[in-house]
Amino acid sequence: RAALEAVDTTKTCSADVDGDGMVGVSDLLSVVDQWGPCSGCDSDIDGDGEVGIGDLLSIVDLWGNCP
């Protein structure tokens, strides 16, 4: 749960990596594809310079249609 709290979920659809208006499978696949050190990557949802567990948990937490 601590990793989820570190993510800024106040930004509308912060986990919508592909910009299609929902958080879903393609966003999850983007996170998996870019896993590891990745400064400035779209899949670095929490902005820590690495695509990792925090980003994956953001996808799961925000799954579904964007508000």
Side-chain angles (χ1 to χ4, degrees):
R1 184 83 183 138
L4 286 177
E5 292 170 2
V7 175
D8 181 9
T9 57
T10 60
K11 181 180 172 189
T12 302
C13 290
S14 60
D16 182 16
V17 176
D18 64 5
D20 69 353
M22 65 178 291
V23 178
V25 173
S26 60
D27 304 301
L28 174 65
L29 293 175
S30 291
V31 166
V32 171
D33 183 54
Q34 295 182 350
W35 197 269
C38 195
S39 181
C41 291
D42 291 336
S43 295
D44 183 15
I45 299 164
D46 60 10
D48 68 353
E50 179 176 50
V51 178
I53 193 68
D55 306 300
L56 177 63
L57 292 174
S58 294
I59 295 285
V60 172
D61 187 47
L62 299 171
W63 194 270
N65 291 328
C66 294

